[in-house]
Amino acid sequence: MRKKSREMDAAWALEVMDRAPYMTVGMTDVDGTPYVLPLSLSRIGSHTFYFHCAPEGRKLDILRHHPQVCLTAVSKCKPTVGPKDGSFTLEYHSAIAYGHAEIVTDDAEKREALRAICKRFLPSHMVAFDAAVLRSMARTAVIRITLTAPPVGKRKQYDANGDEMKYGRTE
């Protein structure tokens, strides 16, 4: 990271990933072409993410050949004018992580992952979860992404005095 003064720790980065409305998942196609998608992921534990998709398609074809992925997330993005120098800038909270993707074949893990996804994105509809899974489990693929290194966060944010909060400062 070029500006180490904006780097945040892994716990902070995981919070960014949990708050982001979606994450981008970057992968490499068989021919070397980058393929990056915004996806709805949910986290279980400190290093495992899940998403669901159709049981066939380009994502799965790519991941079978190149399971290495890159996750990115942004939970704050606010264009602003620098409070002290008048510069045009952006306040942001972002995170990046690298991982290994695998198609989940165990039905119990698949159900747990789908429950976590539903709980994250539709918590008020959990009463309908069991019926929905019963209807769609056979036609739904679930992908597990296990992080291969701790995620890294990055932030640009100003405090109430207009000073940039550097070196992991959180107040």
Side-chain angles (χ1 to χ4, degrees):
M1 180 175 305
R2 187 175 65 82
K3 288 202 171 186
K4 289 298 232 179
S5 64
R6 293 186 179 152
E7 185 172 339
M8 301 297 285
D9 67 18
W12 189 92
L14 286 171
E15 288 178 23
V16 167
M17 296 172 109
D18 289 342
R19 283 192 310 267
Y22 62 89
M23 287 183 249
T24 56
V25 179
M27 49 194 97
T28 306
D29 208 335
V30 178
D31 67 359
T33 304
Y35 189 62
V36 182
L37 297 169
L39 296 171
S40 302
L41 283 86
S42 186
R43 177 169 63 96
I44 296 178
S46 62
H47 63 280
T48 307
F49 289 84
Y50 292 93
F51 69 89
H52 73 290
C53 60
E56 69 281 324
R58 187 173 180 190
K59 280 189 298 297
L60 295 182
D61 293 343
I62 290 171
L63 293 174
R64 284 184 186 102
H65 288 91
H66 296 287
Q68 297 80 19
V69 297
C70 179
L71 305 176
T72 64
V74 176
S75 67
K76 176 182 183 176
C77 182
K78 179 183 165 193
T80 191
V81 175
K84 294 208 171 177
D85 63 4
S87 61
F88 294 170
T89 191
L90 184 70
E91 286 187 300
Y92 59 86
H93 294 176
S94 66
I96 186 169
Y98 295 91
H100 180 87
E102 296 176 84
I103 300 167
V104 175
T105 57
D106 177 72
D107 281 348
E109 182 180 2
K110 227 172 131 170
R111 181 180 299 277
E112 180 185 5
L114 291 169
R115 183 178 304 281
I117 293 166
C118 187
K119 222 175 200 178
R120 177 170 184 218
F121 294 100
L122 292 168
S124 63
H125 290 75
M126 290 307 294
V127 69
F129 175 77
D130 290 327
V133 165
L134 189 61
R135 283 190 313 272
S136 64
M137 183 85 126
R139 64 178 190 269
T140 303
V142 171
I143 310 304
R144 174 192 332 103
I145 297 174
T146 305
L147 300 186
T148 54
V152 176
K154 188 175 178 183
R155 168 194 72 186
K156 183 172 187 181
Q157 183 173 328
Y158 295 101
D159 65 15
N161 295 322
D163 294 318
E164 187 177 344
M165 296 170 61
K166 294 188 177 191
Y167 307 109
R169 197 178 117 205
T170 57
E171 78 270 356

